[in-house]
Amino acid sequence: MTETLFLSGSEVDGLATPAEFVDAVRDAYRQRGEGAPAEPRAKLNNAQPPGFFTAYAAVLPDTGAMGGYMYSAGFGAEDAWFMTPLFDAESGEPIALLDGASMNPYKTGATGAVGADALARQDASSVAIIGSGPQAKGQLRALSTVRDIETVWVYSPTKAHREGFVGKMDRRLDASVAAVASAAAAVEGADIIVTATNASDPVFDGETLDPGTHVTAMGQYSPEKRELDDATIEQAKYVPDLRERASQDAGSFLHAQEAGVIDEADIHAELGDVVAGNAPGRESAEEITVFDSGGTGIETVAGAYLLYEKAVEEDLGTTIDVAPASEALTGD
C-alpha cells in the first residue's frame, strides 16, 4: 500500500499567496519550454442531462510531480466538481488527491500573470477587466504581483456584479478600481486587457486597441465561442498556453483562421517557449500582444504541488491507502 494524502478544499483554501502561485506556475511553464510533456484538455459533452466531463494533464520533472484536473460541470446537479490527482514524477506513486475547486482562480490567475509578465510592457499600469466572477478576481490579484497597477476599469453586463467586484478589489489592492458602463469604456487607453467571461461573441472591438496593448483572454476554450475578434488576433503577436490547443479549442484563433486573416504560422510561440527563453516575448513598445489561456495541466500540477507541500508542512489532510497494481491487479 502507498499512503496518499487527501486534501479538502477548506484545508488548501488560503494556503498559498497569489505571488507564490505565480512563481510556481512560471517555473512550470519554464519546464514546459524545456520539454516537459503536457496535452490539451479532452472534453466529453453530454446532451441529457446537459453537461461536460473534462481532463488534462502534465508532467513537471523538476517539480517532481505529475497529474492534472478531472472535473465535471452541469449535468443534473448543475454544478461543478474539480478533482486533482498528484503523482510522484520519479516513482510514479500517487502522493495526493486535492479537492481542486478553491485553487482554480489562483492557478489560472497565475497563468495569466505569467503571460502578461512575458508580453506586457514593463511600464504597464492601467488594466481593463471584462468579467466580474471568481476568475476575474484571480486574474487581477495575480496580475498585481507582476506589474505596478495604478488603475483598473471593470465591466460586466450586470451592474450589481461589477460594482460588487469593485467593492472587494478596491479594498484588497493598492490600485484604484472602478466600474464602467461598457466594455469600450473599460478598454479605452488600457495597457493590459483581461477577458474572463463566458461570452460566445467578442467582448470588445479590436480596431480600438492602442499600440502596445497586451490582452490576456482566458474565459473560453470552445471552438464555437470567442472573446476576441478577428481584428485583435490579426494584429497581435499571438501566444497560446499550448500550441496544439490553438487549433483544437481556441475559438478566437480558429475564427480568425476561418476568416482568412491568419494561419497557423501566425502562432508566435507557446508560453513555455517564451518563459524558457526559446522565443522572444515583447520586442517593442508598440506591438500588440495576446496570451490565449484555455487551461492546462501545467499550472494545475504546479499549483496543486505548491499546496501539497504547504499542507505537509502544516500537517493537514487525511491519509488514504492506495494499492499498487502489483498487489491489486490479481484477477482473482
Side-chain angles (χ1 to χ4, degrees):
M1 291 287 184
T2 296
E3 290 189 347
T4 301
L5 195 63
F6 173 73
L7 295 167
S8 69
S10 61
E11 288 171 319
V12 300
D13 191 22
L15 266 185
T17 66
E20 289 173 322
F21 274 104
V22 170
D23 288 343
V25 170
R26 180 185 290 110
D27 185 66
Y29 272 95
R30 186 268 307 166
Q31 293 176 60
R32 167 62 184 173
E34 294 175 355
E39 293 289 337
R41 75 179 66 233
K43 184 179 179 184
L44 306 177
N45 293 297
N46 195 64
Q48 290 298 330
F52 67 85
F53 183 75
T54 192
Y56 46 72
V59 179
L60 301 180
D62 294 348
T63 302
M66 55 190 177
Y69 257 163
M70 298 187 76
Y71 67 91
S72 68
F75 294 93
E78 297 183 352
D79 213 319
W81 284 265
F82 295 77
M83 302 303 294
T84 308
L86 277 181
F87 297 80
D88 186 283
E90 291 197 8
S91 70
E93 295 176 330
I95 56 176
L97 176 64
L98 285 74
D99 177 351
S102 66
M103 81 163 179
N104 192 297
Y106 297 99
K107 62 92 178 175
T108 307
T111 309
V114 171
D117 198 28
L119 297 170
R121 301 193 322 268
Q122 287 296 320
D123 64 352
S125 62
S126 60
V127 178
I129 300 285
I130 303 178
S132 57
Q135 295 291 1
K137 294 175 187 175
Q139 291 291 321
L140 183 54
R141 291 188 65 188
L143 183 59
S144 67
T145 72
V146 299
R147 288 295 182 273
D148 187 9
I149 305 302
E150 297 177 0
T151 57
V152 181
W153 302 105
V154 181
Y155 172 74
S156 66
T158 303
K159 182 179 180 181
H161 291 173
R162 62 183 183 254
E163 290 182 348
F165 178 97
V166 166
K168 292 179 180 178
M169 301 309 291
D170 193 45
R171 292 191 299 269
R172 186 177 290 276
L173 303 178
D174 292 334
S176 172
V177 185
V180 293
S182 68
V187 304
E188 183 178 1
D191 300 324
I192 298 173
I193 299 169
V194 178
T195 60
T197 77
N198 60 6
S200 296
D201 298 311
V203 296
F204 66 85
D205 182 359
E207 297 287 356
T208 67
L209 290 177
D210 292 332
T213 304
H214 169 71
V215 180
T216 291
M218 58 72 52
Q220 290 296 1
Y221 47 88
S222 167
E224 292 82 29
K225 298 180 179 181
R226 56 182 181 139
E227 293 181 303
L228 309 183
D229 62 10
D230 295 346
T232 300
I233 299 297
E234 181 179 13
Q235 63 186 313
K237 173 179 282 184
Y238 178 83
V239 176
D241 41 18
L242 289 175
R243 180 180 291 269
E244 187 179 346
R245 195 187 67 77
S247 58
Q248 175 176 304
D249 62 16
S252 298
F253 182 85
L254 290 169
H255 194 282
Q257 187 176 32
E258 290 168 6
V261 300
I262 52 96
D263 58 33
E264 287 197 17
D266 291 303
I267 300 173
H268 172 66
E270 285 189 8
L271 177 60
D273 287 322
V274 176
V275 173
N278 301 328
R282 173 171 290 273
E283 296 179 273
S284 76
E286 292 76 31
E287 67 180 342
I288 292 172
T289 55
V290 165
F291 172 50
D292 194 338
S293 173
T296 77
I298 301 166
E299 62 265 21
T300 305
V301 174
Y305 192 75
L306 169 67
L307 295 175
Y308 164 73
E309 286 193 307
K310 286 182 168 290
V312 170
E313 290 175 2
E314 299 192 21
D315 196 26
L316 299 174
T318 303
T319 299
I320 58 177
D321 290 329
V322 179
S326 60
E327 295 178 10
L329 192 63
T330 65
D332 293 339

